[in-house]
Amino acid sequence: MTDSNPNGGPETAPDLDDLDLSEAEQASLHDLQLSIEHVHRAYGTLLEFHHQLGHAMDRLGDAEDSLREAGHEAWANDLRDDHLPAGAISDQWTFELVEEFSDEFLDDVDAFEREVRDELADGIDHVTERQQKRQLRERAADVDRD
């Protein structure tokens, strides 16, 4: 059996028949992998927040210049001194939040998932989906033979 390779060519699919997984283990792996995918989506949302706030800060910089040009030095100075250098959360800038999330959470849960998957499924990911793919293709092949 072959799977599609993202580069276009076939690649050998892992042999799922060699796995000795109980239903509970397979369900656990599936739940764990889905949770990891949601953690990655949360990370993407955090990156989006980081980028959006960066754009907002650029506009605040523009507003500082505009206020200064309009003769409102005090407000321009407030932006320069208080708001532009301020952190987004607890004096942290968003790049620091992104780094902390990645280094202290994302990397750890990724490593944990990999460890569990290596132990239970010989490192094969998406076991449930691979089995579903095989079953659907076998069913389709059986229908074609009728």
Side-chain angles (χ1 to χ4, degrees), residues 35-46 101 106 109-110:
S35 69
I36 294 298
E37 290 172 2
H38 281 281
V39 168
H40 281 266
R41 290 175 71 180
Y43 181 62
T45 301
L46 183 58
F101 184 89
L106 183 63
V109 296
D110 276 343

Side-chain angles (χ1 to χ4, degrees), residues 67-68 71-83:
L67 285 167
R68 202 170 303 287
H72 299 286
E73 290 292 320
W75 286 335
N77 291 342
D78 284 347
L79 278 174
R80 180 195 64 208
D81 299 339
D82 298 330
H83 302 292

Side-chain angles (χ1 to χ4, degrees), residues 7-85:
N7 298 324
E11 64 182 39
T12 303
D15 190 355
L16 299 175
D17 295 329
D18 289 344
L19 296 179
D20 186 24
L21 289 172
S22 69
E23 286 184 33
E25 288 171 328
Q26 184 173 336
S28 297
L29 274 175
H30 187 69
D31 287 343
L32 184 56
Q33 289 179 326
L34 285 176
S35 69
I36 294 298
E37 290 172 2
H38 281 281
V39 168
H40 281 266
R41 290 175 71 180
Y43 181 62
T45 301
L46 183 58
L47 288 174
E48 179 67 20
F49 168 70
H50 165 61
H51 294 161
Q52 289 296 332
L53 193 55
H55 289 299
M57 297 305 282
D58 291 343
R59 297 304 304 261
L60 281 175
D62 294 343
E64 175 196 346
D65 295 339
S66 297
L67 285 167
R68 202 170 303 287
E69 288 174 18
H72 299 286
E73 290 292 320
W75 286 335
N77 291 342
D78 284 347
L79 278 174
R80 180 195 64 208
D81 299 339
D82 298 330
H83 302 292
L84 285 168

Side-chain angles (χ1 to χ4, degrees), residues 128-141:
T128 299
E129 290 88 343
R130 289 177 191 281
Q131 288 178 336
Q132 182 181 28
K133 174 184 172 182
R134 180 174 65 181
Q135 290 166 352
L136 290 172
R137 289 188 174 175
E138 287 172 354
R139 184 180 74 167

